[in-house]
Amino acid sequence: MISRRLTPRYRSRTDLTEQVETLQLRLEQLERTLSAIATDAANVSVAGPCTKCQRSLLLMRDGVLECPACGYRRPL
């Protein structure tokens, strides 16, 4: 087996920390934006992660939680 040395994507631990913090902030911005759009456009609320598949956030409308990824549905 041939061993290859991988070049690091980040120059230092500080660079990696800054990148993670930037991505975390961006994710929070996107979640707030998605929640506001869903509420305004379709009277839908965005809830926590799907307990069945963990691939999507649950949507809440008309007293039902629904996962857009796996189709899981649960009444409130």
Side-chain angles (χ1 to χ4, degrees), residues 15-56:
D15 289 345
L16 179 59
T17 300
E18 288 175 6
Q19 180 70 19
V20 169
E21 289 172 353
T22 299
L23 290 171
Q24 184 175 15
L25 175 62
R26 183 72 174 150
L27 178 60
E28 290 169 1
Q29 291 170 334
L30 288 170
E31 286 177 345
R32 282 191 293 275
T33 303
L34 172 62
S35 182
I37 290 171
T39 300
D40 287 348
N43 200 24
V44 173
S45 296
V46 179
C50 176
T51 56
K52 186 175 179 184
C53 74
Q54 297 291 317
R55 295 182 313 174
S56 181

Side-chain angles (χ1 to χ4, degrees), residues 50-59 61 64-75:
C50 176
T51 56
K52 186 175 179 184
C53 74
Q54 297 291 317
R55 295 182 313 174
S56 181
L57 296 175
L58 294 169
L59 300 177
R61 76 177 131 215
V64 176
L65 289 172
E66 182 176 354
C67 177
C70 71
Y72 170 76
R73 292 175 55 94
R74 183 183 83 172

